[in-house]
Amino acid sequence: MSEQGKTFPEFYITSPQPCPYLPGRLERKLFTHLTRDKSPGLIDNLLKGGFRRSQNIAYMPYCDGCNACVSVRVLVDEFAQGRSMRRIVDRNRDLASRCVAPVSTSEQYRLFRQYIDTRHGDGGMADMTVLDYAMMVEDSVVDTFCTEYRLKPEDPLSSTQVSDWPLMAMALCDRLSDGISMVYSYFDPDAQSRSLGSYMILDHIDRARRLGLPYLYLGYWIAGSRKMSYKMRFQPQEHLTPQGWLPLSPRR
């Protein structure tokens, strides 16, 4: 095989499967394997250009007669928190966030299982074992990091080790050349009033701003899917179209 053949990605298409977001439709995916012999710039461009990463596979929808899945990214420098988002931040001031290496732990997996069993028991991740979880977190050829959110103790002298504080949420993210891509996140399902999913997005918008990165990538948004509707709350944003990334005007 030529050197170009080793580094240029080979693409494959999955067989049709029931769409998990739009009832009555079928989905297919275009995917390629991410390996260390591939150019970092090529992989970065794939992930900035509409592909999502799952372990060392980059994929995007490739559905017959359907283009409902739209890649979304938030314009970090133009984003401003509204009143409801400031309330979410205030509700979570007792949490400490810290970036850690992408290494799975039993504590993470327990919280992940609690989240999946409570909120997505019939989804594609319902059967994930502890080994599957470890692969999701650790199997990456890109600059991947985890952000853990832990509950601060009421008595600050009771425990000085942050790692001993209760884990409330976790986000798995990739750092790209122009932004942060949120790969997957989960949280304590019993803490619904905290709006931890939105809080993690707000925290990573702020993190991207501090790093001087212009975008936060939120994956796909699907019109008509309640599961995806929350992404529209983070404005202004751009959507990936056949003409490239274009701004979306906020809904009035």
Side-chain angles (χ1 to χ4, degrees):
M1 182 182 291
S2 67
E3 192 64 29
Q4 182 179 5
K6 292 180 181 179
T7 58
F8 193 80
E10 295 180 338
F11 292 95
Y12 308 89
I13 302 173
T14 63
S15 59
Q17 300 289 333
C19 176
Y21 299 105
L22 299 177
R25 300 194 190 184
L26 297 176
E27 69 164 3
R28 303 177 77 186
K29 290 185 174 70
L30 178 72
F31 71 95
T32 187
H33 296 280
L34 304 179
T35 55
R36 297 192 183 280
D37 59 355
K38 300 292 189 296
S39 162
L42 184 149
I43 294 175
D44 186 67
N45 283 331
L46 285 175
L47 299 180
K48 292 189 301 183
F51 280 81
R52 295 289 289 168
R53 185 184 68 81
S54 176
Q55 296 175 222
N56 278 324
I57 291 177
Y59 68 91
M60 70 185 310
Y62 196 76
C63 306
D64 297 331
C66 181
N67 57 1
C69 294
V70 179
S71 293
V72 172
R73 67 186 186 186
V74 180
L75 301 178
V76 167
D77 291 336
E78 299 177 37
F79 177 81
Q81 293 180 7
R83 184 180 303 173
S84 64
M85 293 183 180
R86 290 195 295 270
R87 286 198 294 265
I88 291 173
V89 172
D90 288 340
R91 283 199 296 269
N92 290 285
R93 293 198 183 279
D94 57 350
L95 297 184
S97 69
R98 63 169 189 161
C99 287
V100 297
V103 177
S104 65
T105 67
S106 57
E107 182 186 28
Q108 289 176 4
Y109 181 68
R110 284 195 300 271
L111 183 61
F112 169 79
R113 277 262 51 106
Q114 183 183 1
Y115 172 80
I116 291 294
D117 293 342
T118 301
R119 297 177 65 101
H120 302 288
D122 58 349
M125 305 178 93
D127 297 328
M128 284 184 66
T129 66
V130 65
L131 179 58
D132 295 328
Y133 176 81
M135 294 290 286
M136 181 180 78
V137 173
E138 300 176 12
D139 192 9
S140 172
V141 299
V142 300
D143 185 0
T144 298
F145 64 95
C146 297
T147 307
E148 292 185 340
Y149 298 84
R150 294 181 177 275
L151 184 63
K152 301 174 185 177
E154 293 184 8
D155 179 2
L157 299 179
S158 63
S159 176
T160 58
Q161 293 293 326
V162 176
S163 59
D164 293 336
W165 301 351
L167 181 65
M168 299 293 293
M170 207 277 277
L172 178 68
C173 299
D174 293 337
R175 178 167 176 174
L176 309 182
S177 61
D178 66 354
I180 294 173
S181 174
M182 297 192 73
V183 177
Y184 191 76
S185 60
Y186 58 90
F187 51 85
D188 183 347
D190 294 330
Q192 187 172 353
S193 63
R194 287 180 173 271
S195 302
L196 286 168
S198 293
Y199 177 68
M200 284 188 279
I201 294 176
L202 293 170
D203 184 58
H204 282 85
I205 290 173
D206 187 56
R207 189 178 303 277
R209 183 182 289 120
R210 294 198 305 271
L211 292 171
L213 299 171
Y215 304 114
L216 180 71
Y217 290 82
L218 295 182
Y220 300 120
W221 168 74
I222 303 173
S225 171
R226 292 183 59 189
K227 294 180 181 179
M228 297 291 186
S229 61
Y230 71 93
K231 297 182 182 183
M232 288 297 97
R233 296 200 293 266
F234 301 92
Q235 301 280 352
Q237 59 183 232
E238 293 181 338
H239 287 189
L240 185 59
T241 75
Q243 291 75 44
W245 288 99
L246 295 178
L248 175 77
S249 299
R251 295 180 178 179
R252 300 297 181 183

